Amino acid sequence: MRLESKDIVGLPVKTARDLMRHLNVYRIDAETVLEFLNDEHWRGTVDAARKANPKIPAGVRKRGDDQREVCKIWDFKFMPVKAAEAKRVFAALLAEGYLEPHEPEHKFDKAKYQTSIKGRRLAAANLTKRFDRRNADNEIAALIARANEINTRDELAFYVHKITAFGSYLTDSDDLGDIDLVVELQPRREKHTDESHYRADNSGKSLDFMASLYYGSNEVLRLLRARKPRLSFNMHSTLELDTEFRVVFEWLPDAKRRADMEAFDWRLHEPLRQVNEWLVSNPGINAVPVEIARWCQDVAAMLSNRLFHGWSNNATHDLLPYWGVTASQAAAEMAHRRSWEHYRESVSEHLTDEFGKPVNALIEAEIYSHFARDTDDIDAAILIAKRCRWKVKARNEWSLLQRRMKEMEAIDDQDRTGQME
């Protein structure tokens, strides 16, 4: 879609375009418009303040409930968008045909408005620098090459099935603003949900459940787009628009290729990659990388119900120092190590937080002696502090440690009373 004007319904073109993308996902009413405009205005205000004061952290751009406090701390002003302005924008979008009344298909559908074809075209608009037909054809050729390369990589959870073009690319124009595309993906195997979680866990990123769930498909889309701003990927529902479409790429695996994909051990790919890295830095180990990787899988299976799920991307690297012993022995030693690390951190945190004391090598050795005797972590901290004659920094009736201290003191008093009798 080519945008001739510099503003739409009184908003900058980019803001109007982003608003339509937002409304295409969230509920459509004046309140949603107000929330979006305030988010945009807040980010713009913070960006201007950061230019004047680079010490303001970028994380402040994320709008929260403590905006007044943030403004006081960093000494800048923010004037929220008024509800009347949001109502004006909403009415203008409706009047100019970007929104239209919604006809519910069932009684539970409470939506009163929906984005129109015009509104969806605005949402699909790309605002990059304009380019000619030759550059557009080069972009499409490179896109197809990436799709073919992606479809050879069986470690990815999805493959590219079809790419459909529409909009200005299908015209005779030599002046283009973007290339509108709809990309359709297909899973390589039935357990693509487990694969998505697995690849998310091994990505090195901190992702919530939904981001982890869709990681497999989003990963392929990122690889396909390759940060090319001229490519505009649109929702599958765009294919319902009354406009011309042309398939520029389509691929389906034949029976042999499908069997190869199904047989691919996707769980083994990431451990095998880490094993090969380890072997390069540890020359002289006479073992097949696949054999070591499968040993890592066996150890991991003993430590986790879902293989590698919930582990960091260095799961195999953590296991490799134990190579050479049985999988069960490696699992036992790693479980012991992890239990000790967790115990040490917990006791150290109690000593630092409650008594304000650092943990040196001598104290750590004493912590380990309590770990070996299976002493509770809170009890261990109290016993170490008692032996060192440390006092708590401040009384806190909500502190679990201080409550336990009172219980232990009461038990000691009872023991002394019993001995005297």
Side-chain angles (χ1 to χ4, degrees), residues 172 181 195 221 250 262 266 284 314 317 329 334 377 385:
D172 296 330
L181 303 162
E195 289 188 62
L221 290 175
E250 186 170 11
E262 288 289 348
W266 53 270
N314 291 317
H317 283 159
Q329 183 181 347
M334 175 163 274
D377 58 339

Side-chain angles (χ1 to χ4, degrees), residues 11 19 29-38 81-93:
L11 299 175
L19 172 59
D29 55 30
E31 289 183 7
T32 305
V33 173
L34 180 62
E35 291 172 4
F36 173 85
L37 293 178
N38 269 318
V81 176
K82 294 183 178 180
E85 171 62 8
K87 292 179 180 178
R88 181 201 68 76
V89 170
F90 182 79
L93 289 172

Side-chain angles (χ1 to χ4, degrees), residues 4 7 10 74 105 148 188 221 230 270 313 387-388:
E4 303 290 350
D7 65 80
W74 297 108
E105 296 181 359
N148 282 318
R188 295 178 193 263
L221 290 175
R230 292 172 177 173
E270 182 62 24
N313 61 324
R387 187 192 63 76
C388 296

Side-chain angles (χ1 to χ4, degrees), residues 150-166:
I150 286 169
N151 289 350
T152 65
R153 296 178 56 183
D154 283 346
E155 76 274 13
L156 298 172
F158 288 76
Y159 65 84
V160 182
H161 166 51
K162 187 186 294 185
I163 303 175
T164 305
F166 67 99

Side-chain angles (χ1 to χ4, degrees), residues 119-133:
R120 278 178 276 169
R121 284 176 175 162
L122 173 58
N126 192 311
L127 305 180
T128 58
K129 185 178 180 180
R130 305 192 74 78
F131 52 98
D132 58 24
R133 172 69 50 181

Side-chain angles (χ1 to χ4, degrees), residues 108-129:
F108 301 104
D109 190 350
K110 304 297 183 181
K112 296 182 179 179
Y113 302 97
Q114 64 187 12
T115 54
S116 64
I117 292 177
K118 183 179 179 181
R120 278 178 276 169
R121 284 176 175 162
L122 173 58
N126 192 311
L127 305 180
T128 58
K129 185 178 180 180

Side-chain angles (χ1 to χ4, degrees), residues 340 344 348 358-369:
W340 155 240
R344 178 187 59 197
S348 298
V359 175
N360 55 28
L362 292 175
I363 296 298
E364 187 169 301
E366 193 165 349
I367 294 174
Y368 189 83
S369 68

